Amino acid sequence: MSEVKPHVLSETVRAKIDHWMKRYPAEQKRSAVMAALHFTQEDNGGWLPEHLLEAVADYLGMPKIAVFEVATFYTMYNLKPVGRHLIEVCTSISCMLSGCDKIADHLKKRLQIDFDETTADGKFTLRRVECLASCTTAPMLQIGKKYYESLTPEKVNSILDEME
Ligand code: FES
C-alpha cells in the first residue's frame, strides 16, 4: 500500500491557492505560482526555504526549476529569513537624484546594519531595491505593504519609532 504524502503547505495556504487557481483554466494551475509563493511566504514568517519552493512546485504540478526561477527573479520573494520589518530602500535614478544615499546612510547608522543584514534583535532587515514606481515622491522606501515617501532622516526616525 502506498503511503499518503503529508502536505507541507499549511491548510490555510492550500485554501488560498485553491481559491486563486479558480481564476485560471484547470490545465493552467501554474498561472497561480506568484500568488502561491506569496501566500506561502506570508505563512512562513516572511521567507521561502527550499522545501517550501518544492512544495509549491508539487502542489501546482510544475517543474521545481520553474518555481525556483520565479522565486529568484523577483525581489519580493525572500530566500533567506528576514526581520519582522523588511525595509526596502529604492536606490534607482529618481531616488538617487533626490538623496536616497542620505536616507540609506541614516538607516544603516541608526540600525547598525548594512544592506542585506538584519538587526541583532531580528526586528529590521535592510535591503536596496530597484524603482518602486513612486518616483515623483522620491526618496522613498517600502516596509511590508506600505510606502513611505518624500523622506528625510527625521521622517525615517519617526517611522522607525512607531514600529513595534
Ligand atoms: S526611482 Fe525610486 S521610486 Fe522610482
Side-chain angles (χ1 to χ4, degrees), residues 30-34 37 53-54 56-58 60-74 77:
R30 60 166 50 208
S31 301
V33 64
M34 292 187 71
L37 288 172
L53 294 177
E54 290 174 358
V56 168
D58 287 345
L60 298 179
M62 291 174 66
K64 291 180 179 53
I65 185 67
V67 173
F68 278 64
E69 282 168 355
V70 173
T72 54
F73 181 79
Y74 294 100
Y77 302 120

Side-chain angles (χ1 to χ4, degrees), residues 89-96 100 129-141 147:
V89 184
C90 173
T91 57
S92 291
I93 190 73
S94 295
C95 286
M96 193 174 79
C100 71
V129 290
E130 298 299 325
C131 181
L132 290 170
S134 186
C135 313
T136 53
T137 53
M140 61 83 65
L141 58 78
Y147 276 15

